[in-house]
Amino acid sequence: MTHRFAELTTAQAAALLAGPRTPVLLLPVGAIEPHGPHAPLETDPIISAGMCARAAERLAGSPDVRVLILPPLPYGVTEFGVGFAGAVGIGADTLHALVVEICSTLASQGFRNVVIVNNHFEPGQVATLRRAVDTLAARGVRTGYLDLVRRSVASRLTEEFRSGSCHAGRYETSLVLADRPDLVDTTAMSALPALSVDMPAAMAAGHASFTALGMDRAYCGAPAEATAEEGHATFATLTALLLDVIHDQVS
Ligand SMILES: [Zn+2]
């Protein structure tokens, strides 16, 4: 049984709507942007995909919901990566339009339960996703959104994540090591000194790029401390948080 929505035939998609289980569609979003000299540009989409796959697997036997993963939106608002090769951003209005139109189209067919799963926390990205949820609500489409930067949610994640010094550091690199170790340059990773940058405070002060934040190699935190074990543990927590949002969405 597939967990990927786009692998269904149209007949199977129609059958979902008529079936006894409420369909819940997960929309993984992220960004293509520099993650230090050691981690892949698609670090954020990898994390979103990993959470979605685990949540779908956990609920595979549920009698109440049928969780399917939509094709991801890997591009996001990535102005902080300016000056680094491989940073591929889209505008806030483009992201807003994509999310609103995808969710509206699905809702018009009866797929009214979409949950947005984001792991790119640049302020422009987070603000745009919140705005998209508001726009959809004004159109009568209640969309789930796991907002990982909300304090009550972040408090369940690792110390580095809570510190805000966490771009391509121990937190994110561990997650990539858990699912795609082949994409981490562990030699480069092991040589990186820890770098403490209070990203939320610096961003609030108006700094708007990694270089302006003093992140000359597009990372902060402690990537050399990353382990696959921590990544698997963090994925378990992220999956539990996502399951809560799925439950709220259909209850
Ligand atoms: Zn990231």
Side-chain angles (χ1 to χ4, degrees):
M1 182 175 68
T2 183
H3 298 315
R4 294 182 186 279
F5 181 79
E7 291 182 1
L8 302 179
T9 63
T10 184
Q12 289 169 330
L16 278 180
L17 292 169
R21 301 162 78 189
T22 303
V24 176
L25 308 183
L26 307 179
L27 179 60
V29 300
I32 304 300
E33 67 167 13
H35 276 79
H38 63 292
L41 299 169
E42 65 169 347
T43 289
D44 300 345
I46 286 170
I47 299 170
S48 293
M51 293 173 61
C52 290
R54 286 167 174 80
E57 195 57 43
R58 279 280 297 277
L59 290 173
S62 166
D64 303 316
V65 294
R66 172 87 162 95
V67 175
L68 288 153
I69 304 164
L70 292 163
L73 278 182
Y75 299 109
V77 180
T78 55
E79 292 167 4
F80 276 68
V82 65
F84 289 93
V88 186
I90 58 175
D93 288 342
T94 305
L95 178 64
H96 178 267
L98 279 166
V99 171
V100 168
E101 290 175 29
I102 290 166
C103 293
S104 297
T105 300
L106 288 164
S108 74
Q109 296 174 16
F111 293 104
R112 300 192 62 81
N113 295 301
V114 176
V115 174
I116 299 165
V117 181
N118 175 50
N119 281 278
H120 172 55
F121 306 118
E122 185 169 322
Q125 173 90 353
V126 173
T128 301
L129 293 175
R130 288 174 178 164
R131 182 160 66 91
V133 170
D134 290 345
T135 301
L136 286 160
R139 296 181 186 181
V141 181
R142 193 169 74 93
T143 308
Y145 175 42
L146 175 53
D147 201 343
L148 289 170
V149 294
R150 268 180 44 209
R151 201 171 293 269
S152 61
V153 176
S155 66
R156 290 174 62 178
L157 293 167
T158 69
E159 186 181 343
E160 187 189 87
F161 186 89
R162 295 196 309 271
S163 78
S165 183
C166 60
H167 179 76
R170 173 174 170 166
Y171 172 86
E172 285 192 316
T173 307
S174 292
L175 288 162
V176 180
L177 284 173
D179 272 13
R180 290 301 306 272
D182 54 309
L183 298 183
V184 178
D185 181 341
T186 51
T187 305
M189 179 192 97
S190 303
L192 291 171
L195 176 64
S196 181
V197 175
D198 187 341
M199 292 184 72
M203 292 187 296
H207 298 297
S209 70
F210 291 139
T211 43
L213 266 58
M215 296 160 59
D216 293 343
R217 285 187 280 175
Y219 82 93
C220 63
E225 296 174 11
T227 63
E229 290 69 25
E230 176 174 314
H232 285 294
T234 299
F235 263 128
T237 305
L238 290 170
T239 303
L241 289 164
L242 178 52
L243 293 174
D244 286 347
V245 175
I246 292 169
H247 180 77
D248 287 348
Q249 179 67 25
V250 295
S251 62

